[in-house]
Amino acid sequence: MNPFKQKLLRGEPQFGLFCMSLTAQTAEALSSCGFDFLMFDAEHTPTSLPTLYTQALALAASTTQCLVRMPSLDPVLFKPVLDLAIDTVMVPNIRTAEEARAAVRAVRYPPHGIRGVGGSVRATGYGRHADYYAVAADRVCLLLQIESAEGLRNLDAICAVDGVDGLFIGPVDLATDMGHLAQATHPQVVEAALDGVRRIRAAGKAAGILAAEAQAAMYVDAGANVVCLGSDLGVLVRNADALAARWVRAEQAP
C-alpha cells in the first residue's frame, strides 16, 4: 500500500519539503532527516522523467515518501510518473469540480478513468506484479491544489468529487489571485487559507498547505494535516546567506 495515503486517511499529520533541486544526491541526503515526505516539483522546475526516476530511487530505502507536483492537468503527463511507482501526485491550480473529475480520470484505469496500461514498468515490478492493476486505485493518492479565489468558491463541490484524497492550499498563488502579489502572509490571504483548511476537513478530506515554520502551527491548529515547511533550496539559501553574513561580509567590512 501507499504509506502516505494510509496516514492521510487516518488523519495523521505529515510534514515535508518541496524539492526544487534536480539531483538524487540531495534527495538521498534529505531522506534521512525524518520528514514524512518530499514533494518533487515538476511545475516550477526544469525537471525531467529521468531525474524524477533517480530521485524516487533515492528514497526507496527510506520511510520518507516520494510525492510529485505535476506540471498541469494534462492527462498524458500522469502516465509515466505513475508508472515510475510514484503513487502520490498533486495537481496545481484546480478551480472547478469538473477539473477535479478530470484529475481523477487521469490517475485511474478504464472504465473509471483514462490512464494507459504500462506493462514492464517500475509500478508493476517490471511485469512481475500482475495484481497491480486491480489495486492501483487504492494505492494512488490524488491531491488537488487550490490556488485561486475561484477554487475557494468551488471548494465544497471539489471536495465532493469521489477519488480526491486531499486538497492543498497554495497561499502564494492564492495571494496573487486575490490581488496581493506573492504576499502569502497578508491577513486577508491567511484568513482565506484558514477558512479553506477548515472547510476541507469539515468535508472529510485531508487538508494541506505550504507554510513557513512560523505559520505552520496556526494551520495545524485549524486542521491541516499535510504541511510543506518550505523547500530544499529555500533551506539552503537561508542558511548559506546567514553563514556568509556572519563571516564573509564581516571580513569585508571596513
Side-chain angles (χ1 to χ4, degrees), residues 160-180:
V161 173
D162 184 50
V164 173
D165 298 300
L167 294 97
F168 189 102
I169 304 292
V172 179
D173 278 303
L174 177 61
T176 302
D177 188 68
M178 293 174 63
H180 307 293

Side-chain angles (χ1 to χ4, degrees), residues 78-86 109 115-118 121-124:
F78 287 75
K79 290 186 288 185
V81 173
L82 295 173
D83 286 347
L84 285 175
I86 297 171
Y109 291 121
R115 179 182 174 186
V117 177
V121 296
R122 186 168 182 257
T124 67

Side-chain angles (χ1 to χ4, degrees), residues 160-220:
V161 173
D162 184 50
V164 173
D165 298 300
L167 294 97
F168 189 102
I169 304 292
V172 179
D173 278 303
L174 177 61
T176 302
D177 188 68
M178 293 174 63
H180 307 293
L181 181 60
Q183 298 177 54
T185 58
H186 189 284
Q188 291 180 353
V189 178
V190 171
E191 182 181 357
L194 287 169
D195 180 66
V197 167
R198 294 185 185 107
R199 289 168 61 196
I200 292 166
R201 292 308 304 275
K205 303 290 187 180
I209 190 126
L210 169 64
E213 190 174 3
Q215 285 81 45
M218 169 181 64
Y219 287 113
V220 171

Side-chain angles (χ1 to χ4, degrees), residues 60-220:
S62 169
T63 58
T64 299
Q65 299 302 301
C66 177
L67 283 59
V68 168
R69 175 162 67 176
M70 302 298 297
S72 72
L73 187 53
D74 183 347
V76 174
L77 302 176
F78 287 75
K79 290 186 288 185
V81 173
L82 295 173
D83 286 347
L84 285 175
I86 297 171
D87 289 333
T88 302
V89 292
M90 184 165 76
V91 189
N93 201 20
I94 295 297
R95 294 170 177 264
T96 66
E98 182 179 358
E99 290 180 345
R101 286 189 286 269
V104 173
R105 289 194 296 271
V107 302
R108 292 193 171 183
Y109 291 121
H112 304 294
I114 59 172
R115 179 182 174 186
V117 177
S120 298
V121 296
R122 186 168 182 257
T124 67
Y126 301 100
R128 296 183 180 94
H129 307 316
D131 63 339
Y132 171 79
Y133 308 108
V135 301
D138 292 328
R139 283 184 53 173
V140 171
C141 183
L142 178 63
L143 306 177
L144 304 181
Q145 198 162 13
I146 306 299
E147 305 180 85
S148 67
E150 181 183 8
L152 286 179
R153 286 195 299 271
N154 294 321
L155 191 58
D156 295 341
I158 294 170
C159 287
V161 173
D162 184 50
V164 173
D165 298 300
L167 294 97
F168 189 102
I169 304 292
V172 179
D173 278 303
L174 177 61
T176 302
D177 188 68
M178 293 174 63
H180 307 293
L181 181 60
Q183 298 177 54
T185 58
H186 189 284
Q188 291 180 353
V189 178
V190 171
E191 182 181 357
L194 287 169
D195 180 66
V197 167
R198 294 185 185 107
R199 289 168 61 196
I200 292 166
R201 292 308 304 275
K205 303 290 187 180
I209 190 126
L210 169 64
E213 190 174 3
Q215 285 81 45
M218 169 181 64
Y219 287 113
V220 171

Side-chain angles (χ1 to χ4, degrees), residues 10-79:
R10 292 195 298 264
E12 297 180 23
Q14 299 186 78
F15 300 91
L17 289 177
F18 272 105
C19 280
M20 314 299 287
S21 57
L22 305 175
T23 70
Q25 185 181 43
T26 302
E28 184 181 37
L30 291 172
S31 72
S32 298
C33 290
F35 288 115
D36 295 293
F37 65 90
L38 297 178
M39 176 92 69
F40 297 100
D41 190 7
E43 183 189 16
H44 288 294
T45 71
T47 193
S48 65
L49 289 169
T51 298
L52 290 174
Y53 172 64
T54 60
Q55 291 172 318
L57 289 182
L59 298 187
S62 169
T63 58
T64 299
Q65 299 302 301
C66 177
L67 283 59
V68 168
R69 175 162 67 176
M70 302 298 297
S72 72
L73 187 53
D74 183 347
V76 174
L77 302 176
F78 287 75
K79 290 186 288 185

